[in-house]
């Protein structure tokens, strides 16, 4: 069964229904003790701000259970904010660049703001919103049967910059290439929303469920 | 990079058609030294540098396009009243022309990039019907969608997000209580916060009176920002309540203000162009989209795929919203996108 973590950051029903439409069982986990032997896959979704996300994870006691699940070797997927929270830290909501907000620290690296002004005034619009293509870097099961350079749906103003480039499985060009999906052992993450990416995205969720 | 992608980028790079207007305007500036005269175009020394600058900007723009493959979104807009789609949608094979879920599923299948649901229910007591509709759409359509109309308070926003809307679009409430924009951005993120702006051309005199009235009340009352090359006796004034009520607020200044408050996207509907189907209002769309650094969705006036091409190439708009051309089957999403693709506009063809 696929467990979807509900930590108060956005609506999770579309993620749940997407899995259900693919014939997988998916349940929304409102408390950490709902993770039991039945839960074979864990999904950390989320929209909103990084700082709020970490606060909610901490207040609801999710940090250790998420780490334990990762260590158990079972497949786990972070989506959008859920991907960013896996990193060491983020400059979103940070008082300064030197004092980033700490994240879960499961993947080494930081979360950074798209520099809209670096490309001339008003040229690079932030948030990065809409359909952009993936440059698949590694032949992994998540992208099985995906078309070449598939278009997927993004809505975000910040992006992950992993310290180890070996974890990057796809990049996307926005101003310059950024990491749009990563894989570290049993941990997967996508900056885009597979559950909003129509057929292409649903296929990726199906591939994840088959992990 | 695939060859066809490269090719579709290279063609506009070599094609400066969009500059003819700008160049003519510059070359027609009276006075100065005539450098050359060919057919109807006269080049003045004073404007030559400006032309070079424009060309340089355009080259830079296109170079940037090489590294930003974000496609332009084509967005059908559905008017919903008491949970039913009104103004009819006329697809082949649609069993229930008023069922938002079925229509959304059809557009999902057709490759629409996003949907906008605009609730035009007059009565605020029937909000539950909207939430129910949003819930059903979110459960059955795996594509992005925005819900707007009838939002008055942050509680209305929260209920919509909880029902499954990933973006909410605020219109009149943003003018009445701008704070709602800040609250929405704080609670649900800038990405979920969309603000609708409905400008209409008005004579400056009337606008100034209304602006002065706002200023007297201590409200946000910026001076009008006139888009490039426009007569300054005409102002683009924000209207609310479905375009009926003038506000005394200038559209460009308002867009900048609302982005500062937290708007992550602007849907700009020209009240002059809306419903006329003679094309988007390129003047105000250009003015607003170049003045702010968040995505702008052009809306109002679409009558053909060519209108979409115009607004996406001649302004900085990121997406185009249309209603009747899609609903009545005049053009399909796919043929619209194919047309745009053939004209060098980056769109998502496969889905």
């Amino acid at each position: 069964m696929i467990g979807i973590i509900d930590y108060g950051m956005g609506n999770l029903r579309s993620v749940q229904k997407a899995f259900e439409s693919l014939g997988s069982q998916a349940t929304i986990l409102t408390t950490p003790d709902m993770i039991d032997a039945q839960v074979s896959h864990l999904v950390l979704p989320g929209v909103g701000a990084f700082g709020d996300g970490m606060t909610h994870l901490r207040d609801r006691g999710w940090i250790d259970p998420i780490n334990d699940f990762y260590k158990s070797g079972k497949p786990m997927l972070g989506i959008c904010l859920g991907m960013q929270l896996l990193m060491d830290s983020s400059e979103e909501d940070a008082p300064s660049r030197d004092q980033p907000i700490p994240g879960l620290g499961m993947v080494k690296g930081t979360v950074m703001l798209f520099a809209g002004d670096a490309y001339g005034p008003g040229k690079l619009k932030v948030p990065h919103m809409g359909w952009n293509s993936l440059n698949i870097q590694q032949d992994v099961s998540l992208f099985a049967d995906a078309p070449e350079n598939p278009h997927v749906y993004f809505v975000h103003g910040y992006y992950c910059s992993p310290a180890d480039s070996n974890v990057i499985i796809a990049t996307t060009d926005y101003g310059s290439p950024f990491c749009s999906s990563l894989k570290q052992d049993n941990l997967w993450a996508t900056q885009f929303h597979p559950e909003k990416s129509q057929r292409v995205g649903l296929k990726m969720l199906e591939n994840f469920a088959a992990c | 990079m695939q060859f066809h992608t490269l090719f579709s980028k290279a063609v506009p790079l070599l094609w400066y058609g969009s500059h003819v207007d700008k160049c003519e305007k510059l070359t027609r500036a009276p006075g100065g030294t005539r450098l050359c005269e060919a057919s109807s175009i006269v080049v003045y020394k004073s404007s030559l540098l400006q032309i070079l600058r424009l060309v340089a900007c355009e080259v830079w723009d296109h170079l940037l396009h090489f590294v930003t493959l974000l496609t332009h979104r084509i967005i059908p807009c559905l008017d919903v009243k008491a949970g039913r789609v009104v103004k009819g949608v006329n697809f082949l094979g649609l069993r229930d022309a008023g069922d938002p879920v079925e229509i959304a599923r059809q557009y999902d299948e057709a490759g629409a990039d996003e949907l906008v649901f605009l609730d035009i229910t007059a009565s605020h007591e029937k909000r539950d019907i909207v939430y129910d509709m949003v819930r059903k759409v979110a459960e059955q359509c795996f594509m992005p969608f925005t819900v707007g109309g009838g939002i008055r308070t942050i509680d209305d926003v929260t209920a919509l997000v909880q029902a499954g809307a990933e973006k909410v679009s605020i219109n009149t409430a943003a003018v009445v209580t701008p704070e709602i924009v800040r609250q929405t951005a704080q609670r649900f993120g800038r990405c979920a916060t969309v603000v609708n702006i409905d400008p209409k051309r008005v004579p400056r005199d009337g606008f100034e009176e209304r602006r002065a009235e706002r200023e007297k009340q201590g409200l946000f009352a910026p001076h009008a920002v006139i888009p490039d090359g426009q007569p300054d006796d005409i102002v683009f004034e924000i209207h609310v309540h479905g375009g009926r009520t003038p506000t005394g607020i200038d559209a460009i200044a308002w867009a900048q203000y609302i982005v500062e408050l937290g708007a992550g996207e602007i849907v700009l509907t020209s009240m002059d162009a809306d419903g006329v189907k003679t094309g988007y209002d390129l003047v105000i769309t250009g003015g607003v989209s170049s003045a702010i650094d968040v995505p702008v969705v052009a809306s109002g006036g679409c009558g053909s795929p060519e209108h979409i091409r115009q607004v996406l190439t001649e302004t900085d708009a990121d997406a185009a919203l249309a209603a009747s051309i899609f609903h009545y089957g005049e053009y399909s999403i796919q043929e619209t996108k194919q047309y745009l693709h053939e004209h060098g506009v980056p769109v998502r063809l496969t889905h």
Side-chain angles (χ1 to χ4, degrees), chain A:
Chain A
M1 189 168 57
I2 289 156
I4 302 160
I5 300 177
D6 178 6
Y7 57 115
M9 296 302 278
N11 186 284
L12 314 174
R13 203 185 264 102
S14 52
V15 178
Q16 183 188 24
K17 291 289 168 184
F19 278 112
E20 286 178 358
S21 78
L22 298 163
S24 299
Q25 267 197 313
T27 183
I28 290 177
L29 312 170
T30 47
T31 56
D33 56 22
M34 288 174 76
I35 298 185
D36 54 23
Q38 295 268 295
V39 178
S40 56
H41 295 63
L42 192 63
V43 179
L44 180 63
V47 291
F50 189 94
D52 286 350
M54 276 314 289
T55 307
H56 282 122
L57 282 179
R58 199 173 301 115
D59 291 352
R60 296 173 190 217
W62 276 109
I63 292 182
D64 289 340
I66 289 173
N67 274 294
D68 292 346
F69 192 91
Y70 173 50
K71 281 175 199 142
S72 77
K74 292 180 194 167
M76 191 177 152
L77 174 68
I79 299 173
C80 197
L81 177 65
M83 172 182 188
Q84 299 181 0
L85 291 170
L86 303 173
M87 309 302 289
D88 283 329
S89 63
S90 171
E91 62 181 40
E92 185 175 9
D93 299 335
S96 78
R97 282 207 161 181
D98 312 329
Q99 299 163 272
I101 307 279
L104 290 167
M106 294 159 71
V107 179
K108 294 279 158 249
T110 56
V111 182
M112 300 196 291
L113 176 66
F114 280 115
D117 53 355
Y119 301 92
K123 291 303 176 202
L124 194 61
K125 301 202 176 179
V126 182
H128 173 223
M129 194 183 278
W131 296 81
N132 205 333
S133 52
L134 297 182
N135 302 312
I136 295 173
Q137 306 289 331
Q138 291 184 38
D139 189 13
V140 288
S141 63
L142 190 71
F143 301 138
D145 298 327
E148 197 182 343
N149 302 114
H151 277 98
V152 288
Y153 184 73
F154 290 90
V155 198
H156 62 126
Y158 294 79
Y159 65 96
C160 297
S161 176
D164 176 7
S165 61
N166 289 322
V167 302
I168 300 172
I169 55 172
T171 60
T172 294
D173 295 334
Y174 195 57
S176 54
F178 71 92
C179 169
S180 47
S181 331
L182 63 81
K183 177 187 191 290
Q184 179 179 284
D185 310 319
N186 50 318
L187 177 62
W188 303 84
T190 65
Q191 182 59 65
F192 56 90
H193 287 271
E195 80 284 10
K196 291 283 173 188
S197 297
Q198 295 177 338
R199 216 171 289 159
V200 165
L202 291 182
K203 182 63 197 163
M204 292 178 194
L205 292 182
E206 193 179 2
N207 292 339
F208 170 70
C211 275

Side-chain angles (χ1 to χ4, degrees), chain B residues 26 28-29 55 61 65 68 71 77 86 94 97 139 174 176 192 217 221 240-241 280 343:
Chain B
L26 290 168
R28 279 176 189 163
V55 172
D61 256 19
H65 271 155
T68 60
T71 55
C77 175
V86 293
L94 200 63
E139 286 176 0
V176 178
Q217 294 170 27
V240 291
H241 300 121
Y280 295 91
H343 288 78

Side-chain angles (χ1 to χ4, degrees), chain B residues 314-332:
Chain B
E314 292 175 27
T315 76
D316 284 337
D318 301 88
L321 186 136
S324 53
I325 73 158
F326 297 136
H327 299 338
Y328 300 133
E330 291 164 35
Y331 297 94
S332 70

Side-chain angles (χ1 to χ4, degrees), chain B residues 195-335:
Chain B
V195 175
N196 275 74
I197 297 183
D198 298 349
K200 188 176 184 175
R201 287 176 167 80
V202 296
R204 182 178 276 275
D205 294 348
F207 168 81
E208 283 301 342
E209 276 174 32
R210 291 184 287 275
R211 195 197 69 78
E213 188 54 40
R214 275 184 70 86
E215 198 163 39
K216 236 189 280 168
Q217 294 170 27
L219 298 166
F220 176 70
H223 288 284
V225 181
I226 307 298
D228 281 349
Q230 287 301 297
D232 64 5
D233 56 343
I234 297 291
V235 174
F236 290 89
E237 183 178 0
I238 303 278
H239 284 60
V240 291
H241 300 121
R244 295 188 301 275
T245 316
T247 59
I249 307 172
D250 172 71
I252 295 180
W254 175 246
Q256 290 170 325
Y257 175 66
I258 217 76
V259 167
E260 253 174 64
L261 281 183
E265 180 165 78
I266 299 293
V267 178
L268 183 77
T269 307
S270 162
M271 289 289 117
D272 300 306
D274 200 28
V276 188
K277 299 181 74 170
T278 51
Y280 295 91
D281 188 329
L282 302 178
V283 175
I284 190 58
T285 310
V288 169
S289 60
S290 61
I292 56 176
D293 58 4
V294 302
V296 170
V297 182
S299 159
C302 183
S304 72
E306 169 57 16
H307 292 151
I308 298 180
R309 187 200 65 78
Q310 282 171 358
V311 80
L312 294 180
T313 54
E314 292 175 27
T315 76
D316 284 337
D318 301 88
L321 186 136
S324 53
I325 73 158
F326 297 136
H327 299 338
Y328 300 133
E330 291 164 35
Y331 297 94
S332 70
I333 300 281
Q334 277 310 309
E335 76 185 297

